Amino acid sequence: MDDATFVLRQSMRATWEAPFLYLLFGTRRALLLDTGDVADVEQMPLQPTVSALVDDWVARHGPSDYHLVVAHSHGHGDHVRGDGQFAGREGITVVGVDQDSVRAYFGIDPWPGGVASFDLGDRELLVSGIPGHDVRSIVVADPSRGLLLSGDTAYPGRLYVQDLRALQDSLDRMLALAERAGAETILGGHIEFGADGGQHPVGTRFHAAERPLPLTLPDLRRLRELAYVAAGRSGVVRGEPMHLWIGPCRGPILRMGLATAARRVRGIG
């Protein structure tokens, strides 16, 4: 996005989840948010890629004792499987996935509603807990760039909800945080909708004409309204530009899986 802000995406050839990862640089340290869905460095060379970007930053800006923090938007496997590529390496801290580790590292107090400052060096981030999709979910606001990193709580696609009431509260606070930080661009973990509004089936490795990744503040407001409209419901609740999938949703997931299998048989999935 700019000299100090990188959006990385894992290839659909390696994982149909195709998650987005975020690398933010400050003058003292960098933050990598999420490590994606692939553990094998040969299949997905995430650590070498990120380390090369860090080395380039240090070469151009310094200092020699620069540090990389690896954290997570939440704890689901498709956002943490690459952690092992970074574990035990000098100059790198990998934040634990469990709620207590996340809360303690960033100093979010009280959890989840507290807003913690996390300074990268001349680049202050604001971090808060946003359970609903996952009890360990966080949101990261970057006032310097007008960004809100929303993980799997908000993106153009199917938003899976574990706890709707918690999600409603989280969206209230996310919107307030976005307004406080002047964040007008919301960047999430995936794209699952096409430019025409259609859904890419679960498991497909081909996304034709994807919808753009960034969401806007009006999109976030619509999502909050949808979450309140969905009170007391389960299953799929449709909205724009995202749908809520509340609870197990076994029927819709099975139908999408069958559609993906049929596409693969026809050679177009």
Side-chain angles (χ1 to χ4, degrees):
M1 295 184 70
D2 61 41
D3 178 62
T5 309
F6 292 80
V7 181
L8 310 173
R9 192 184 196 185
Q10 297 194 324
S11 171
M12 291 178 202
R13 294 186 179 187
T15 167
W16 66 267
E17 294 278 9
F20 289 88
L21 324 175
Y22 298 93
L23 180 61
L24 312 180
F25 286 93
T27 58
R28 293 191 296 106
R29 57 185 172 180
L31 172 68
L32 174 66
L33 190 68
D34 288 344
T35 62
D37 193 36
V38 183
D40 184 359
V41 70
E42 297 297 327
Q43 185 182 11
M44 179 62 61
L46 178 61
Q47 180 272 321
T49 301
V50 170
S51 291
L53 291 170
V54 172
D55 289 346
D56 180 66
W57 171 271
V58 171
R60 288 184 292 114
H61 301 285
S64 59
D65 60 345
Y66 203 74
H67 196 80
L68 172 66
V69 175
V70 178
H72 314 89
S73 62
H74 61 294
H76 291 163
D78 55 318
H79 297 266
V80 307
R81 287 196 176 97
D83 283 11
Q85 296 187 26
F86 297 91
R89 291 182 174 271
E90 185 178 357
I92 298 177
T93 296
V94 180
V95 180
V97 173
D98 62 282
Q99 181 180 306
D100 288 343
S101 295
V102 174
R103 176 180 181 173
Y105 186 82
F106 288 106
I108 301 172
D109 186 28
W111 176 272
V115 178
S117 172
F118 188 68
D119 190 7
L120 300 179
D122 298 323
R123 187 174 188 178
E124 181 190 25
L125 307 178
L126 302 173
V127 186
S128 188
I130 51 167
H133 172 71
D134 178 31
V135 295
R136 303 158 291 189
S137 293
I138 61 171
V139 60
V140 178
D142 182 1
S144 72
R145 303 304 195 276
L147 301 177
L148 194 76
L149 306 183
S150 57
D152 281 7
T153 298
Y155 62 80
R158 299 175 290 272
L159 305 180
Y160 298 96
V161 182
Q162 288 185 347
D163 184 333
L164 182 60
R165 183 64 195 92
L167 180 69
Q168 293 168 344
D169 176 66
S170 292
L171 290 170
D172 286 341
R173 292 185 293 98
M174 281 177 68
L175 188 56
L177 181 60
E179 292 170 344
R180 168 182 168 182
E184 297 187 353
T185 301
I186 293 94
L187 299 173
H190 304 273
I191 299 174
E192 294 177 344
F193 284 179
D196 61 358
Q199 300 181 59
H200 301 300
V202 171
T204 185
R205 294 178 184 268
F206 178 72
H207 291 188
E210 286 184 326
R211 187 195 185 283
L213 172 65
L215 300 173
T216 64
L217 271 180
D219 290 330
L220 191 59
R221 293 188 183 102
R222 282 193 289 271
L223 176 57
R224 181 180 65 171
E225 291 170 4
L226 184 65
Y228 280 99
V229 167
R233 298 170 63 179
S234 61
V236 179
V237 181
R238 296 180 180 274
E240 170 58 36
M242 58 209 89
H243 301 166
L244 297 178
W245 285 43
I246 305 169
C249 294
R250 294 186 181 90
I253 289 174
L254 176 61
R255 287 191 291 273
M256 277 206 160
L258 291 173
T260 298
R263 287 173 59 87
R264 288 177 177 166
V265 168
R266 296 197 302 271
I268 58 174

